């Protein structure tokens, strides 16, 4: 609305409600139904209403409170630091209620520690999401939390237990097949392909590899897939495994980094004499992989859409809270993003 500031009557017209309804939203939001509050809020954002802050404050004060817990892996890992920030930002602006987010980073990834932290979060949160390796101790802790009426969602990597466990992440079988398709199209000559996996107990990485191998079984064009090297989610181990692979396999033509320690792999590839036409595919767009795409160390990166991942994690936790464990698992599969040096 150029030329003047939008007024309360303008907002009422834009939202399709009465002036008195707008006034109630501003002054006492609890007297207005939630869908109507959200409609007024969206209209205020769209027209640039001067009292937008008052509306947001009023709605949040009367909003349902969601106590959500999220367990991520080590904060020193750039992807999880980025995801943690995205979750915190999404919680601050979330429209469906007021979110009290308990966000923890797991420095010690041993199953008993993961299980202990999950049990603690289950006592103070309405629903919990976590990134964890598959292990009986973790499954047992999930069932204990579910038994107390607190839904649990596997974040990024699927998790299993006797009870229903939700999931927010990608179709990792398709991720693996997409990486294989790219290598098949980009490699000028066939040869050996290396695979790096952080830990097969992270089921997303196992599914990545499964899809990758499935593609080459279906399209045999002379490539030989090497047995995967385990990095144990450690960048120093990833560097060592990459150097070893390049030294022991002079015919290697490509590398698929399925997960775990990609910063070490990038360092090793930068220092190595690679065969001409060598193709390297990594995961997650972050500062280190962006730089590797730009300087040619990586040719392609397959990534979670981090903002959508954060938003869908919160949405799924709220749906799970409202439905309860008895309603079954809440699942969301997101589309993955593909980056090359040309579309950064």
């Amino acid at each position: 609305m150029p030329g003047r500031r939008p007024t309360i009557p303008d907002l009422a017209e834009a939202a399709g409600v009465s002036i008195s309804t707008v006034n109630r939203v501003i002054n006492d939001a609890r007297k207005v139904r939630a869908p109507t509050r959200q409609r007024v809020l969206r209209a205020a954002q769209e027209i640039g209403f001067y009292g937008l802050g008052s509306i947001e404050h009023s709605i949040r004060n009367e909003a349902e409170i969601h106590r959500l817990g999220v367990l991520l892996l080590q904060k020193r890992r750039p992807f999880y630091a980025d995801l943690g920030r995205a979750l915190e930002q999404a919680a601050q602006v979330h429209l469906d209620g007021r979110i009290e987010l308990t966000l923890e980073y797991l420095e010690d990834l041993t199953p008993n520690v993961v299980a202990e932290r999950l049990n603690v979060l289950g006592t103070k949160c309405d629903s919990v999401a976590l990134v964890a390796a598959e292990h009986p101790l973790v499954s047992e802790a999930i069932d204990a939390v579910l038994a107390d009426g607190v839904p649990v969602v596997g974040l990024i990597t699927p998790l299993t237990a006797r009870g229903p466990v939700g999931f927010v992440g990608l179709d990792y079988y398709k991720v693996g097949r997409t990486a294989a398709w790219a290598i098949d199209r980009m490699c000028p000559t066939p040869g050996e392909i290396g695979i790096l996996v952080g830990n097969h107990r992270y089921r997303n990485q196992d599914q990545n590899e499964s899809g990758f191998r499935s593609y080459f079984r279906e399209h045999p064009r002379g490539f030989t897939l090497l047995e995967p090297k385990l990095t144990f989610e450690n960048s120093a181990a990833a560097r060592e495994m990459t150097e070893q692979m390049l030294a022991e396999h002079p015919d290697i033509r490509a590398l698929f980094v399925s997960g775990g320690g990609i910063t070490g792999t990038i360092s090793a590839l930068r220092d190595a004499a690679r065969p001409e036409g060598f193709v390297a595919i990594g995961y997650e767009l972050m500062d280190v992989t962006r730089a590797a795409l730009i300087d040619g160390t990586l040719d392609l990166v397959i990534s979670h859409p981090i903002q959508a991942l954060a938003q869908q994690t919160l949405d799924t936790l709220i749906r799970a809270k409202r439905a309860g464990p008895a309603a079954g698992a809440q699942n969301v599969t997101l589309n993955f993003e593909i980056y090359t040096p040309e579309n950064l």
Side-chain angles (χ1 to χ4, degrees):
M1 293 187 179
R4 67 181 181 86
R5 232 172 27 164
T7 63
I8 286 177
D10 295 326
L11 177 55
E13 181 180 355
V17 300
S18 68
I19 292 173
S20 60
T21 296
V22 172
N23 281 321
R24 284 196 298 273
V25 171
I26 295 172
N27 297 309
D28 194 356
R30 63 185 173 180
K31 295 181 179 179
V32 183
R33 293 174 61 248
T36 304
R37 294 199 301 259
Q38 299 306 323
R39 190 161 72 247
V40 172
L41 176 59
R42 285 193 294 270
Q45 293 167 334
E46 290 169 2
I47 70 173
F49 181 63
Y50 70 90
L52 176 59
S54 297
I55 293 175
E56 291 174 334
H57 179 74
S58 177
I59 289 176
R60 286 211 172 88
N61 280 347
E62 301 304 330
E64 179 184 3
I65 296 175
H66 308 296
R67 299 177 306 152
L68 309 181
V70 179
L71 286 175
L72 300 179
L73 304 189
Q74 298 101 327
K75 192 173 184 178
R76 66 176 178 271
R77 296 167 65 171
F79 172 73
Y80 290 105
D82 290 347
L83 178 55
R85 283 190 292 271
L87 284 163
E88 290 171 337
Q89 291 165 2
Q92 290 172 3
V93 300
H94 203 279
L95 295 177
D96 186 7
R98 181 153 55 92
I99 293 177
E100 295 180 356
L101 179 64
T102 301
L103 176 63
E104 292 189 13
Y105 297 89
L106 291 164
E107 293 302 321
D108 185 342
L109 304 182
T110 53
N112 59 311
V113 172
V114 176
E116 177 190 346
R117 295 314 307 160
L118 174 58
N119 278 314
V120 170
L121 276 191
T123 65
K124 59 184 181 180
C125 294
D126 300 320
S127 52
V128 179
L130 75 157
V131 185
E134 189 78 24
H135 192 276
L137 286 175
V138 176
S139 297
E140 187 177 72
I142 291 172
D143 279 321
V145 172
L146 290 172
D148 287 336
V150 178
V152 178
V153 173
L155 177 56
I156 297 173
T157 181
L159 291 167
T160 59
R162 290 188 298 275
V165 186
F167 170 69
V168 179
L170 307 179
D171 183 332
Y172 298 103
Y173 186 80
K174 287 184 178 179
V175 169
R177 286 187 64 92
T178 300
W181 174 88
I183 288 175
D184 187 23
R185 295 300 190 274
M186 295 167 70
C187 266
T189 56
E192 295 175 323
I193 301 175
I195 304 171
L196 287 179
V197 175
N199 185 336
H200 279 113
R201 282 190 177 269
Y202 289 99
R203 292 177 61 205
N204 60 318
Q205 297 183 29
D206 199 48
Q207 291 169 9
N208 281 345
E209 185 193 349
S210 178
F212 191 78
R213 292 185 179 279
S214 168
Y215 177 90
F216 283 108
R217 282 195 298 270
E218 187 176 334
H219 304 281
R221 306 191 201 277
F223 288 101
T224 301
L225 274 60
L226 302 174
E227 282 300 302
K229 298 281 189 182
L230 296 181
T231 68
F232 303 102
E233 304 293 309
N234 180 279
S235 60
R239 180 183 177 99
E240 180 182 347
M241 292 300 101
T242 304
E243 291 171 340
Q244 180 182 338
M245 197 180 301
L246 293 172
E248 294 178 354
H249 299 275
D251 193 38
I252 194 168
R253 289 292 178 266
L255 176 64
F256 173 40
V257 187
S258 169
I262 195 167
T263 55
T265 296
I266 289 171
S267 296
L269 290 176
R270 284 193 176 122
D271 294 343
R274 292 174 285 164
E276 185 176 350
F278 183 88
V279 174
I281 294 182
Y283 61 89
E284 307 307 355
L285 187 68
M286 44 196 172
D287 288 347
V288 66
T289 54
R290 181 186 293 272
L293 283 170
I294 291 171
D295 69 20
T297 304
L298 293 178
D299 299 282
L300 185 143
V301 165
I302 299 176
S303 182
H304 289 84
I306 198 159
Q307 301 301 327
L309 179 63
Q311 185 64 58
Q312 286 296 332
T313 298
L314 300 181
D315 289 346
T316 303
L317 286 173
I318 291 171
R319 284 198 307 273
K321 165 204 166 180
R322 288 171 172 163
Q330 302 289 325
N331 298 315
V332 175
T333 302
L334 300 166
N335 292 323
F336 50 86
E337 297 174 342
I338 296 176
Y339 293 94
T340 74
E342 301 301 322
N343 72 331
L344 291 175

